[in-house]
Amino acid sequence: MTTSADEAVKIIRSNDHVFIHSAAATPAILVDAMSKRHSELKNVSIYAMHTEGAAPYAQSDMQASFIVKPFFVGQNIRENIQNNRGSYIPIFLSEAPLLFRKGIIPIDVALISVSPPDQHGFCSLGTSVDISLAAVQSAKVVIAQINKHVPRTHGDGFIHISKIHYTVEHDCELPQMKDHAISHEEHLIGQNCANLIENGATLQMGIGSIPNAVLNCLTHHQNLGIHTEMFSDGILPLIEKGVINGSKKAIRPNVIDLPPLHRAAYVGEEPAP
């Protein structure tokens, strides 16, 4: 059913468990509409990996209405967690989908962003499939912001329009992460970390300023490999220069591994099956 954001989020009840789509796919109009209902709601658990944009539900004046239970603590909810109003869940990204699929964390409502449906009625989860696909497939109710700016991405990241209970049509640009200059302190940290990395090592990394600072200091290393759940743009110059080639990896050489929610990418000769 196509409706307004304010009408769609009325399905959310006190004590519900709500999932919010990740990163650049955060459905801002649905988040705002839900947050505006804070005076009507109590004890709504909010689950998310990382969301971009404002998180009004994490403000101190809404703590009786919303309990933030993130799998990753980003800037928009850091104050909430630091002041013990929320409850951080320390878990590997790869393990989170099982919490939804097994009902350990039951999802009552999933708030997501999707591309417009194609001629067969399939919408794409776009920039964030990650743990969001499992949340969507496990949720009792799915509310989707249909946004023409959400890209159609290949792979197992589609949801049929018939599986969406409420759709809200609202086009808006997706948030973008802009690079910023690495500070002197960040550079020193990166330099110290890079000195600990041996040639031929396999890297696991996060995202943000510090991982980028480390990567910037690896330009003179050789034969590095990647086996990580996520990475930042800082690996791209190292791949182009041949610093990252995966040739010394003990498992799946010549491959950048992004297990288990993502596919692998070849950086050298494709290994024999």
Side-chain angles (χ1 to χ4, degrees):
M1 181 175 70
T2 300
T3 185
S4 67
D6 290 338
E7 286 297 317
V9 299
K10 286 182 179 179
I11 195 68
I12 299 173
R13 301 286 183 260
S14 294
N15 302 308
D16 272 356
H17 292 207
V18 176
F19 175 82
I20 299 176
H21 203 166
S22 308
T26 304
I29 191 171
L30 300 180
V31 169
D32 289 343
M34 176 188 70
S35 301
K36 286 192 297 185
R37 293 192 60 220
H38 67 95
S39 61
E40 309 167 31
L41 298 171
K42 299 294 180 185
N43 197 40
V44 174
S45 295
I46 304 295
Y47 295 94
M49 185 175 70
H50 167 65
T51 62
E52 284 294 324
Y57 52 83
Q59 296 174 1
S60 59
D61 60 342
M62 298 190 189
Q63 61 181 327
S65 304
F66 304 108
I67 304 173
V68 181
K69 299 180 179 180
F71 304 110
F72 178 87
V73 180
Q75 184 177 3
N76 57 0
I77 60 168
R78 188 164 294 136
E79 187 271 341
N80 176 285
I81 300 301
Q82 288 176 337
N83 287 282
N84 298 316
R85 299 198 305 273
S87 182
Y88 166 60
I89 301 174
I91 190 172
F92 287 118
L93 174 67
S94 58
E95 296 172 335
L98 287 179
L99 297 181
F100 305 142
R101 298 190 193 280
K102 291 184 176 181
I104 298 170
I105 296 179
I107 300 299
D108 296 298
V109 181
L111 306 180
I112 62 174
S113 291
V114 296
S115 68
D118 62 17
Q119 64 269 33
H120 305 293
F122 286 96
C123 304
S124 173
L125 291 172
T127 56
S128 296
V129 179
D130 45 68
I131 69 172
S132 302
L133 179 64
V136 167
Q137 293 174 338
S138 306
K140 296 175 183 176
V141 176
V142 177
I143 304 175
Q145 175 183 339
I146 296 181
N147 182 357
K148 70 178 183 181
H149 296 290
V150 173
R152 295 184 66 82
T153 53
H154 296 288
D156 188 16
F158 290 95
I159 177 173
H160 196 269
I161 193 72
S162 64
K163 302 295 184 181
I164 300 174
H165 299 83
Y166 299 93
T167 58
V168 177
E169 297 180 353
H170 181 78
D171 296 328
C172 59
E173 296 288 344
L174 302 187
Q176 296 185 29
M177 293 292 292
K178 298 181 179 179
D179 289 335
H180 71 275
I182 293 174
S183 70
H184 176 67
E185 291 78 9
E186 290 166 344
H187 174 73
L188 292 177
I189 294 171
Q191 206 167 41
N192 287 336
C193 292
N195 289 337
L196 300 174
I197 298 172
E198 299 177 352
N199 289 332
T202 297
L203 307 180
Q204 187 278 336
M205 67 196 67
I207 55 176
S209 299
I210 297 301
N212 271 338
V214 177
L215 292 167
N216 283 352
C217 294
L218 293 175
T219 55
H220 297 295
H221 279 62
Q222 298 176 358
N223 303 321
L224 298 178
I226 299 288
H227 191 99
T228 185
E229 288 181 334
M230 59 182 67
F231 63 85
S232 63
D233 289 347
I235 76 164
L236 300 180
L238 297 180
I239 293 173
E240 292 170 352
K241 293 177 180 179
V243 173
I244 293 176
N245 56 36
S247 62
K248 301 298 182 181
K249 288 178 65 183
I251 299 174
R252 290 166 59 81
N254 305 315
V255 172
I256 292 178
D257 279 301
L258 311 171
L261 300 177
H262 311 281
R263 64 181 183 177
Y266 295 106
V267 293
E269 292 184 5
E270 184 172 339

